[in-house]
Amino acid sequence: MANPTVRVGDVVPTGTFWYVPYTPETDDLAACGVPTKISTDAWKGKKVVLISVPGAFTPTCHANHLPPYIQKYDEFKAKGVDQIAVVTANDAFVMSGWGKALGFKDKILPLSDPTAAWTSQLGLSVDLSKANELGLGLRTSRFALILDDLKITYLGVEPARGVTVSGADAVLAAL
């Protein structure tokens, strides 16, 4: 399990992620797009919900964790959220494909922390090298953050398998 080194009230460490920007032209599964970088600095002065999952296209992440965020997007916006983003240790192309498969479009920003470097700074990476013999390696753990001008106002780290404190309903309740 993850052992967070950050707490509510902390300013989130600076980090850089890869992502493929959404455009109508890249909405086609056959279109790859060009990865670009984004820094946490882009969130200065904004309210951001950041969801972290162990992997795109994995059962809990794909079927249970992200769909409610898409379905409740308007509720997040009504509570003043400027950006919803999801981060995982998959590469930017996989994250782009996952966003297309789930219909993120411009609602959820799919971010790649490919070596879990930023997530490790938070104490929220997890070694899944031996989990179910799938050999997933170092991954981002399952959690959600609410950032207000880069300050952590909510940190929901899952204590076990499943989605509770990092789910859309828990995060909406914390806003």
Side-chain angles (χ1 to χ4, degrees), residues 17-38:
F17 310 98
W18 286 96
Y19 78 108
V20 175
Y22 171 80
T23 66
E25 295 77 26
T26 60
D27 203 25
D28 184 325
L29 278 173
C32 289
V34 178
T36 189
K37 290 182 180 181
I38 187 171

Side-chain angles (χ1 to χ4, degrees), residues 12-150:
V12 74
T14 301
T16 302
F17 310 98
W18 286 96
Y19 78 108
V20 175
Y22 171 80
T23 66
E25 295 77 26
T26 60
D27 203 25
D28 184 325
L29 278 173
C32 289
V34 178
T36 189
K37 290 182 180 181
I38 187 171
S39 167
T40 52
D41 293 340
W43 301 331
K44 185 149 184 60
K46 296 181 179 177
K47 187 178 286 190
V48 177
V49 170
L50 180 70
I51 310 123
S52 174
V53 298
F57 294 108
T58 57
T60 302
C61 308
H62 187 74
N64 301 328
H65 205 168
L66 267 293
Y69 280 94
I70 299 164
Q71 294 159 358
K72 297 177 184 222
Y73 175 80
D74 291 336
E75 292 177 52
F76 282 99
K77 294 305 273 185
K79 290 199 172 207
V81 172
D82 297 298
Q83 179 73 67
I84 301 173
V86 59
V87 65
T88 189
N90 296 113
D91 64 68
F93 295 108
V94 169
M95 290 302 290
S96 176
W98 191 38
K100 293 172 191 180
L102 286 180
F104 291 179
K105 297 195 183 284
D106 59 352
K107 293 181 178 181
I108 297 181
L109 189 62
L111 302 176
S112 171
D113 182 13
T115 61
W118 183 77
T119 316
S120 293
Q121 286 183 64
L122 305 177
L124 292 170
S125 59
V126 60
D127 186 355
L128 297 178
S129 298
K130 297 178 183 168
N132 299 324
E133 299 180 12
L134 293 175
L136 296 174
L138 187 63
R139 294 294 181 128
T140 54
S141 58
R142 188 178 310 282
F143 65 89
L145 293 173
I146 298 173
L147 304 175
D148 195 347
D149 193 24
L150 301 177

